[in-house]
PDB file of all heavy atoms in Angstrom:
ATOM      1  N   ASP A  39      -6.546 -67.016  38.014  1.00 96.00           N
ATOM      2  CA  ASP A  39      -7.184 -66.397  36.850  1.00 96.00           C
ATOM      3  C   ASP A  39      -6.466 -65.098  36.476  1.00 96.00           C
ATOM      4  O   ASP A  39      -6.250 -64.823  35.295  1.00 96.00           O
ATOM      5  CB  ASP A  39      -8.654 -66.072  37.130  1.00 96.00           C
ATOM      6  CG  ASP A  39      -9.521 -67.295  37.348  1.00 96.00           C
ATOM      7  OD1 ASP A  39      -9.214 -68.362  36.788  1.00 96.00           O
ATOM      8  OD2 ASP A  39     -10.519 -67.171  38.104  1.00 96.00           O
ATOM      9  N   LEU A  40      -6.128 -64.326  37.490  1.00 96.00           N
ATOM     10  CA  LEU A  40      -5.424 -63.053  37.238  1.00 96.00           C
ATOM     11  C   LEU A  40      -4.051 -63.312  36.628  1.00 96.00           C
ATOM     12  O   LEU A  40      -3.642 -62.626  35.681  1.00 96.00           O
ATOM     13  CB  LEU A  40      -5.302 -62.251  38.536  1.00 96.00           C
ATOM     14  CG  LEU A  40      -6.606 -61.649  39.043  1.00 96.00           C
ATOM     15  CD1 LEU A  40      -6.482 -61.227  40.501  1.00 96.00           C
ATOM     16  CD2 LEU A  40      -7.024 -60.472  38.180  1.00 96.00           C
ATOM     17  N   VAL A  41      -3.319 -64.286  37.160  1.00 95.00           N
ATOM     18  CA  VAL A  41      -1.998 -64.631  36.624  1.00 95.00           C
ATOM     19  C   VAL A  41      -2.118 -64.979  35.139  1.00 95.00           C
ATOM     20  O   VAL A  41      -1.370 -64.475  34.301  1.00 95.00           O
ATOM     21  CB  VAL A  41      -1.366 -65.803  37.418  1.00 95.00           C
ATOM     22  CG1 VAL A  41      -0.163 -66.393  36.681  1.00 95.00           C
ATOM     23  CG2 VAL A  41      -0.970 -65.345  38.811  1.00 95.00           C
ATOM     24  N   GLU A  42      -3.088 -65.825  34.828  1.00 95.00           N
ATOM     25  CA  GLU A  42      -3.278 -66.240  33.433  1.00 95.00           C
ATOM     26  C   GLU A  42      -3.716 -65.068  32.557  1.00 95.00           C
ATOM     27  O   GLU A  42      -3.186 -64.873  31.461  1.00 95.00           O
ATOM     28  CB  GLU A  42      -4.308 -67.363  33.367  1.00 95.00           C
ATOM     29  CG  GLU A  42      -4.525 -67.891  31.956  1.00 95.00           C
ATOM     30  CD  GLU A  42      -5.551 -69.020  31.925  1.00 95.00           C
ATOM     31  OE1 GLU A  42      -5.679 -69.765  32.916  1.00 95.00           O
ATOM     32  OE2 GLU A  42      -6.222 -69.134  30.876  1.00 95.00           O
ATOM     33  N   HIS A  43      -4.688 -64.299  33.018  1.00 94.00           N
ATOM     34  CA  HIS A  43      -5.249 -63.212  32.215  1.00 94.00           C
ATOM     35  C   HIS A  43      -4.254 -62.065  32.009  1.00 94.00           C
ATOM     36  O   HIS A  43      -4.173 -61.500  30.926  1.00 94.00           O
ATOM     37  CB  HIS A  43      -6.528 -62.688  32.870  1.00 94.00           C
ATOM     38  CG  HIS A  43      -7.297 -61.725  32.041  1.00 94.00           C
ATOM     39  ND1 HIS A  43      -8.054 -62.110  30.954  1.00 94.00           N
ATOM     40  CD2 HIS A  43      -7.417 -60.370  32.110  1.00 94.00           C
ATOM     41  CE1 HIS A  43      -8.615 -61.051  30.400  1.00 94.00           C
ATOM     42  NE2 HIS A  43      -8.246 -59.988  31.089  1.00 94.00           N
ATOM     43  N   LEU A  44      -3.501 -61.733  33.069  1.00 93.00           N
ATOM     44  CA  LEU A  44      -2.558 -60.619  32.982  1.00 93.00           C
ATOM     45  C   LEU A  44      -1.245 -61.050  32.349  1.00 93.00           C
ATOM     46  O   LEU A  44      -0.488 -60.210  31.861  1.00 93.00           O
ATOM     47  CB  LEU A  44      -2.291 -60.028  34.367  1.00 93.00           C
ATOM     48  CG  LEU A  44      -3.279 -58.992  34.885  1.00 93.00           C
ATOM     49  CD1 LEU A  44      -4.701 -59.507  34.981  1.00 93.00           C
ATOM     50  CD2 LEU A  44      -2.838 -58.470  36.241  1.00 93.00           C
ATOM     51  N   GLY A  45      -0.970 -62.342  32.376  1.00 93.00           N
ATOM     52  CA  GLY A  45       0.274 -62.841  31.802  1.00 93.00           C
ATOM     53  C   GLY A  45       1.492 -62.475  32.632  1.00 93.00           C
ATOM     54  O   GLY A  45       2.599 -62.363  32.086  1.00 93.00           O
ATOM     55  N   ILE A  46       1.294 -62.295  33.925  1.00 94.00           N
ATOM     56  CA  ILE A  46       2.414 -61.991  34.823  1.00 94.00           C
ATOM     57  C   ILE A  46       2.326 -62.909  36.032  1.00 94.00           C
ATOM     58  O   ILE A  46       1.268 -63.453  36.340  1.00 94.00           O
ATOM     59  CB  ILE A  46       2.438 -60.502  35.260  1.00 94.00           C
ATOM     60  CG1 ILE A  46       1.148 -60.104  35.979  1.00 94.00           C
ATOM     61  CG2 ILE A  46       2.692 -59.598  34.069  1.00 94.00           C
ATOM     62  CD1 ILE A  46       1.137 -58.662  36.487  1.00 94.00           C
ATOM     63  N   GLY A  47       3.439 -63.077  36.703  1.00 92.00           N
ATOM     64  CA  GLY A  47       3.496 -63.993  37.829  1.00 92.00           C
ATOM     65  C   GLY A  47       2.778 -63.474  39.063  1.00 92.00           C
ATOM     66  O   GLY A  47       2.581 -62.274  39.251  1.00 92.00           O
ATOM     67  N   ARG A  48       2.423 -64.418  39.898  1.00 94.00           N
ATOM     68  CA  ARG A  48       1.746 -64.131  41.154  1.00 94.00           C
ATOM     69  C   ARG A  48       2.566 -63.154  41.998  1.00 94.00           C
ATOM     70  O   ARG A  48       2.023 -62.196  42.552  1.00 94.00           O
ATOM     71  CB  ARG A  48       1.532 -65.444  41.898  1.00 94.00           C
ATOM     72  CG  ARG A  48       0.767 -65.365  43.171  1.00 94.00           C
ATOM     73  CD  ARG A  48       0.639 -66.751  43.796  1.00 94.00           C
ATOM     74  NE  ARG A  48      -0.073 -67.671  42.946  1.00 94.00           N
ATOM     75  CZ  ARG A  48      -1.331 -68.056  43.131  1.00 94.00           C
ATOM     76  NH1 ARG A  48      -2.002 -67.624  44.160  1.00 94.00           N
ATOM     77  NH2 ARG A  48      -1.910 -68.893  42.305  1.00 94.00           N
ATOM     78  N   ALA A  49       3.872 -63.382  42.095  1.00 94.00           N
ATOM     79  CA  ALA A  49       4.735 -62.508  42.902  1.00 94.00           C
ATOM     80  C   ALA A  49       4.742 -61.082  42.343  1.00 94.00           C
ATOM     81  O   ALA A  49       4.759 -60.111  43.109  1.00 94.00           O
ATOM     82  CB  ALA A  49       6.151 -63.072  42.957  1.00 94.00           C
ATOM     83  N   SER A  50       4.706 -60.958  41.029  1.00 93.00           N
ATOM     84  CA  SER A  50       4.684 -59.624  40.408  1.00 93.00           C
ATOM     85  C   SER A  50       3.365 -58.913  40.690  1.00 93.00           C
ATOM     86  O   SER A  50       3.337 -57.701  40.900  1.00 93.00           O
ATOM     87  CB  SER A  50       4.904 -59.723  38.901  1.00 93.00           C
ATOM     88  OG  SER A  50       6.208 -60.161  38.621  1.00 93.00           O
ATOM     89  N   ILE A  51       2.275 -59.665  40.698  1.00 95.00           N
ATOM     90  CA  ILE A  51       0.973 -59.070  41.021  1.00 95.00           C
ATOM     91  C   ILE A  51       0.995 -58.541  42.446  1.00 95.00           C
ATOM     92  O   ILE A  51       0.630 -57.394  42.707  1.00 95.00           O
ATOM     93  CB  ILE A  51      -0.174 -60.099  40.831  1.00 95.00           C
ATOM     94  CG1 ILE A  51      -0.362 -60.415  39.345  1.00 95.00           C
ATOM     95  CG2 ILE A  51      -1.477 -59.566  41.442  1.00 95.00           C
ATOM     96  CD1 ILE A  51      -1.349 -61.540  39.059  1.00 95.00           C
ATOM     97  N   TYR A  52       1.452 -59.391  43.377  1.00 95.00           N
ATOM     98  CA  TYR A  52       1.487 -58.972  44.786  1.00 95.00           C
ATOM     99  C   TYR A  52       2.445 -57.802  44.999  1.00 95.00           C
ATOM    100  O   TYR A  52       2.130 -56.861  45.732  1.00 95.00           O
ATOM    101  CB  TYR A  52       1.878 -60.142  45.690  1.00 95.00           C
ATOM    102  CG  TYR A  52       0.821 -61.210  45.804  1.00 95.00           C
ATOM    103  CD1 TYR A  52       1.131 -62.551  45.662  1.00 95.00           C
ATOM    104  CD2 TYR A  52      -0.513 -60.885  46.081  1.00 95.00           C
ATOM    105  CE1 TYR A  52       0.156 -63.537  45.774  1.00 95.00           C
ATOM    106  CE2 TYR A  52      -1.488 -61.850  46.191  1.00 95.00           C
ATOM    107  CZ  TYR A  52      -1.145 -63.182  46.038  1.00 95.00           C
ATOM    108  OH  TYR A  52      -2.122 -64.148  46.156  1.00 95.00           O
ATOM    109  N   ALA A  53       3.616 -57.851  44.357  1.00 94.00           N
ATOM    110  CA  ALA A  53       4.607 -56.787  44.546  1.00 94.00           C
ATOM    111  C   ALA A  53       4.131 -55.460  43.975  1.00 94.00           C
ATOM    112  O   ALA A  53       4.438 -54.386  44.510  1.00 94.00           O
ATOM    113  CB  ALA A  53       5.935 -57.195  43.904  1.00 94.00           C
ATOM    114  N   THR A  54       3.361 -55.508  42.898  1.00 95.00           N
ATOM    115  CA  THR A  54       2.915 -54.285  42.225  1.00 95.00           C
ATOM    116  C   THR A  54       1.607 -53.754  42.787  1.00 95.00           C
ATOM    117  O   THR A  54       1.451 -52.546  42.974  1.00 95.00           O
ATOM    118  CB  THR A  54       2.763 -54.540  40.711  1.00 95.00           C
ATOM    119  OG1 THR A  54       4.014 -55.030  40.210  1.00 95.00           O
ATOM    120  CG2 THR A  54       2.387 -53.264  39.974  1.00 95.00           C
ATOM    121  N   PHE A  55       0.678 -54.648  43.057  1.00 96.00           N
ATOM    122  CA  PHE A  55      -0.679 -54.216  43.408  1.00 96.00           C
ATOM    123  C   PHE A  55      -1.105 -54.579  44.829  1.00 96.00           C
ATOM    124  O   PHE A  55      -2.128 -54.094  45.303  1.00 96.00           O
ATOM    125  CB  PHE A  55      -1.689 -54.810  42.424  1.00 96.00           C
ATOM    126  CG  PHE A  55      -1.418 -54.439  41.002  1.00 96.00           C
ATOM    127  CD1 PHE A  55      -0.934 -55.384  40.104  1.00 96.00           C
ATOM    128  CD2 PHE A  55      -1.640 -53.145  40.546  1.00 96.00           C
ATOM    129  CE1 PHE A  55      -0.686 -55.040  38.777  1.00 96.00           C
ATOM    130  CE2 PHE A  55      -1.399 -52.797  39.226  1.00 96.00           C
ATOM    131  CZ  PHE A  55      -0.911 -53.747  38.345  1.00 96.00           C
ATOM    132  N   GLY A  56      -0.381 -55.451  45.489  1.00 96.00           N
ATOM    133  CA  GLY A  56      -0.805 -55.941  46.795  1.00 96.00           C
ATOM    134  C   GLY A  56      -1.659 -57.181  46.621  1.00 96.00           C
ATOM    135  O   GLY A  56      -1.477 -57.945  45.675  1.00 96.00           O
ATOM    136  N   SER A  57      -2.600 -57.367  47.507  1.00 96.00           N
ATOM    137  CA  SER A  57      -3.458 -58.552  47.472  1.00 96.00           C
ATOM    138  C   SER A  57      -4.457 -58.485  46.318  1.00 96.00           C
ATOM    139  O   SER A  57      -4.613 -57.446  45.672  1.00 96.00           O
ATOM    140  CB  SER A  57      -4.225 -58.655  48.793  1.00 96.00           C
ATOM    141  OG  SER A  57      -5.163 -57.579  48.884  1.00 96.00           O
ATOM    142  N   LYS A  58      -5.156 -59.577  46.114  1.00 97.00           N
ATOM    143  CA  LYS A  58      -6.242 -59.598  45.121  1.00 97.00           C
ATOM    144  C   LYS A  58      -7.253 -58.512  45.446  1.00 97.00           C
ATOM    145  O   LYS A  58      -7.729 -57.796  44.561  1.00 97.00           O
ATOM    146  CB  LYS A  58      -6.903 -60.984  45.120  1.00 97.00           C
ATOM    147  CG  LYS A  58      -8.185 -61.077  44.308  1.00 97.00           C
ATOM    148  CD  LYS A  58      -8.846 -62.442  44.488  1.00 97.00           C
ATOM    149  CE  LYS A  58     -10.333 -62.365  44.268  1.00 97.00           C
ATOM    150  NZ  LYS A  58     -11.024 -63.637  44.474  1.00 97.00           N
TER     151      LYS A  58
END
Side-chain angles (χ1 to χ4, degrees):
D39 294 331
L40 288 164
V41 166
E42 182 180 330
H43 189 75
L44 276 59
I46 59 178
R48 184 180 299 256
S50 293
I51 291 173
Y52 290 132
T54 304
F55 302 108
S57 68
K58 170 186 153 182

